[in-house]
Amino acid sequence: MSPAQRRFADSDCIALTGNANAADPLKAEVIVDPADCNALTCTEAGLRVPETRVAGEAGCAGGDPADGTIGVVVVPPAAGDCPQVYTVGAHAIIDPAECNALTSTRAGLRVPETRVAGEAGCAGGDPADGTIGVVIVPPAAGDCPQVYTVGAHAIIDPTDCNALTSTRAGLRVPETHVTGVPGPVGGHPANGTIGVSVTRPGAGDCPQTYAVSAHAIIDPAECNALTSTGSGLRVPETRVTGTAAVSSDTHQTIGVVVTPPGAGDCPQTYAVSAHAVIDPADCNALTSTRAGLRVPETHVTGVPGPVGGQAVDGTIGVVVTRPAAGDCPQVYTVGAHAVIDPADCNALTSTRAGLRVPETRVVGVPGAAPGRVGRGWPSVDIAVEAPEAGVCPQTYTVRAYLTPRRGETGAVGDIDLLPSRASRAWVDTGLQVTLPDPGVYLVIGDIDTNICALLDYGSSTNLWTEVRLIDAGSRAVELGPRQSAQHQFSTSPETRFQHCVHGPTPLSGLVTVSEAQRSKTVRVQAILHGDGPGEGLNGAQLRTSYFQGGRSHLTYVKVGD
């Protein structure tokens, strides 16, 4: 039985196996770290490390690869050199524009050293009236970087009425509000300024080459002075100019005076001072004092509005609620309310929904004479023509029409009047009308009766008819009586004849209907009378006597209320 195999390891990377005899010679195996990031692999042909190649790519701006700001140069090794050494160099690409302050020297890139000097600003042209204090703390000699700390503070007039104050958060002038709400403040901290693009190699590529490029992201706003050119990023060289004069720009509020450095000075030091430019208009409340800018504190008060030019007659009441001391912003709440005359006849009222004046509408109804208004007994009709919706002014056209009640009746049946001569009783006829409502009526009757008699030799007659108008309910006489037909004749002993007479009779007059009666029906009555010998028939014979309804009429017209 052969001895067991042994394993020898003379390093951490090579493993030896076998018994070192002819039957089991020693074998060497490479130990490869299985880590994912290990590029060394073992193949049938031997160990393999993917060949490494180095490529340089210039950085770009705005996504345009032709606009390089860093030039990268790679010098590869000669074929067969060992080790394979790649020489990588980089140089800055400088925009040749005249205003570019960046230059290249044998010692390296150079930007002229900048020093900052501060000077207190002034207001109103008086250098002694400082409104802006500038403090500059220079860096210590040898500090790198050379950092200048520049601070500015407002000089505030300590006058009691100055509303401008300084707090830890900055200057504060209590904001004065009458109406409105403050607007929101937003931000975008995630906005990037450098874009990095990485092109990954394909799966299995050898060597695995990642191409990395960077480009500046430029805000497309019109006011952005940063641009990208074929020579690199470019910001126009900044030069500072100023004048002590007030700008003609109506929005100029700060006057800036700049003293430029001398040509060739290094560092290039600009002396900058600022002063407040105050509008000289009479209505400008902002003034400059030796202690600083001053804005008189604002107070709000309410005054009633005037009527007819008299300031004491207020129609609008104004109420002002002042802010508490120290509130910021200082908000005055101004309210106004209508002052309403408490007179009883004032139709204007105030409700939770606002002022209210009852809408006026005009409608017409059948009217009546004074004393009868609203009773519904029409003698006058009122017609109202309303304006169209939305027309201003709203004009109503009112018309009145005289429309008295009226009516007539007639052509009723005849009534025999012969019995009434003996009974001496008035006979009701069928001729009647109803007076419909209270008031005064003119009743006009056209009444016809007749009498026919035979006169024998030497006979005579004395007959007549009468008519009247009565209240059919109470039987009271309203008009009459009026005589209608009369038969009064006599004959000689030698004469005999029959004679008929008609009596068309006007029966007219005023009839009143009281409020208590409400309405009244009036009726025509008739009667036949006889007088003298034989009660009007002295040897004569009475043939007929009729109320002739077919030839009689009644008419009424209301003439008063």
Side-chain angles (χ1 to χ4, degrees):
M1 182 175 181
S2 62
Q5 290 185 343
R6 292 175 294 170
R7 177 170 180 160
F8 304 95
D10 55 359
S11 71
D12 293 335
C13 301
I14 303 297
L16 296 176
T17 60
N19 292 318
N21 54 42
D24 187 14
L26 290 175
K27 296 178 182 178
E29 297 177 356
V30 179
I31 301 174
V32 181
D33 187 344
D36 292 337
C37 66
N38 191 357
L40 179 64
T41 58
C42 185
T43 70
E44 294 287 340
L47 295 177
R48 181 178 183 182
V49 178
E51 181 182 356
T52 300
R53 295 181 184 176
V54 178
E57 181 176 344
C60 57
D64 184 355
D67 293 339
T69 56
I70 301 296
V72 179
V73 178
V74 178
V75 180
D81 284 356
C82 184
Q84 292 280 291
V85 178
Y86 289 81
T87 302
V88 180
H91 63 274
I93 300 175
I94 301 176
D95 187 342
E98 292 181 5
C99 64
N100 192 349
L102 180 64
T103 58
S104 177
T105 71
R106 291 186 177 274
L109 295 177
R110 180 178 181 184
V111 177
E113 180 182 357
T114 300
R115 294 183 183 177
V116 180
E119 182 179 342
C122 57
D126 185 353
D129 293 338
T131 56
I132 303 295
V134 179
V135 178
I136 298 179
V137 180
D143 284 355
C144 185
Q146 290 281 289
V147 177
Y148 289 81
T149 303
V150 182
H153 63 273
I155 301 175
I156 301 175
D157 186 344
T159 305
D160 292 341
C161 66
N162 191 354
L164 180 64
T165 59
S166 177
T167 70
R168 290 185 178 273
L171 293 178
R172 175 187 293 171
V173 177
E175 184 179 354
T176 300
H177 286 275
V178 174
T179 58
V181 294
V185 176
H188 303 283
N191 288 346
T193 57
I194 300 297
V196 179
S197 300
V198 178
T199 304
R200 301 179 180 276
D205 283 356
C206 183
Q208 291 277 292
T209 302
Y210 289 81
V212 180
S213 63
H215 61 275
I217 300 176
I218 301 177
D219 187 343
E222 293 181 3
C223 63
N224 191 354
L226 178 64
T227 58
S228 176
T229 71
S231 301
L233 294 178
R234 179 177 180 180
V235 178
E237 181 181 355
T238 301
R239 295 182 182 178
V240 182
T241 61
T243 177
V246 178
S247 172
S248 61
D249 183 358
T250 58
H251 299 294
Q252 183 68 36
T253 57
I254 301 296
V256 179
V257 177
V258 178
T259 304
D265 286 354
C266 184
Q268 293 277 289
T269 302
Y270 289 82
V272 182
S273 63
H275 62 272
V277 179
I278 300 178
D279 186 344
D282 294 339
C283 63
N284 190 353
L286 179 65
T287 58
S288 175
T289 70
R290 290 185 178 274
L293 294 177
R294 175 188 292 174
V295 178
E297 184 175 352
T298 300
H299 289 271
V300 180
T301 59
V303 180
V307 175
Q310 300 178 9
V312 296
D313 293 338
T315 56
I316 302 297
V318 179
V319 178
V320 178
T321 303
R322 300 177 182 277
D327 283 356
C328 184
Q330 292 276 292
V331 178
Y332 290 81
T333 302
V334 182
H337 63 275
V339 180
I340 301 177
D341 187 343
D344 293 339
C345 64
N346 191 356
L348 177 65
T349 58
S350 179
T351 70
R352 291 185 179 275
L355 295 177
R356 175 187 292 171
V357 178
E359 181 181 356
T360 300
R361 296 181 182 174
V362 181
V363 295
V365 295
R372 302 283 176 87
V373 176
R375 296 288 189 176
W377 308 320
S379 294
V380 177
D381 281 342
I382 305 296
V384 177
E385 181 179 342
E388 295 183 2
V391 174
C392 183
Q394 292 278 291
T395 302
Y396 290 81
T397 302
V398 182
R399 296 183 177 89
Y401 302 91
L402 183 64
T403 55
R405 302 296 291 270
R406 55 196 178 275
E408 62 180 356
T409 187
V412 298
D414 294 345
I415 300 295
D416 186 3
L417 298 181
L418 290 180
S420 66
R421 172 172 167 269
S423 66
R424 299 184 178 180
W426 286 85
V427 178
D428 285 340
T429 71
L431 186 61
Q432 65 182 34
V433 293
T434 298
L435 308 179
D437 47 52
V440 180
Y441 294 82
L442 175 61
V443 180
I444 302 172
D446 186 9
I447 313 300
D448 196 6
T449 61
N450 72 348
I451 302 173
C452 291
L454 177 62
L455 284 84
D456 291 321
Y457 306 105
S459 61
S460 63
T461 60
N462 185 22
L463 303 169
W464 70 94
T465 59
E466 288 183 322
V467 294
R468 70 182 184 182
L469 189 70
I470 68 167
D471 180 346
S474 67
R475 313 297 290 179
V477 177
E478 297 288 346
L479 297 175
R482 305 279 195 274
Q483 184 174 300
S484 178
Q486 184 175 13
H487 198 289
Q488 192 175 40
F489 293 96
S490 62
T491 61
S492 65
E494 295 84 12
T495 304
R496 184 174 190 248
F497 64 90
Q498 179 170 306
H499 187 268
C500 294
V501 296
H502 288 270
T505 306
L507 180 62
S508 301
L510 298 176
V511 178
T512 299
V513 180
S514 68
E515 291 189 31
Q517 290 172 322
R518 305 294 294 176
S519 65
K520 180 185 290 187
T521 299
V522 291
R523 181 180 299 151
V524 174
Q525 289 185 321
I527 191 172
L528 174 63
H529 293 287
D531 188 40
E535 294 185 351
L537 292 173
N538 182 17
Q541 299 179 31
L542 181 59
R543 297 289 188 174
T544 60
S545 179
Y546 284 97
F547 163 78
Q548 294 189 295
R551 299 174 60 176
S552 300
H553 300 83
L554 271 181
T555 301
Y556 70 88
V557 177
K558 189 175 182 181
V559 295
D561 288 316

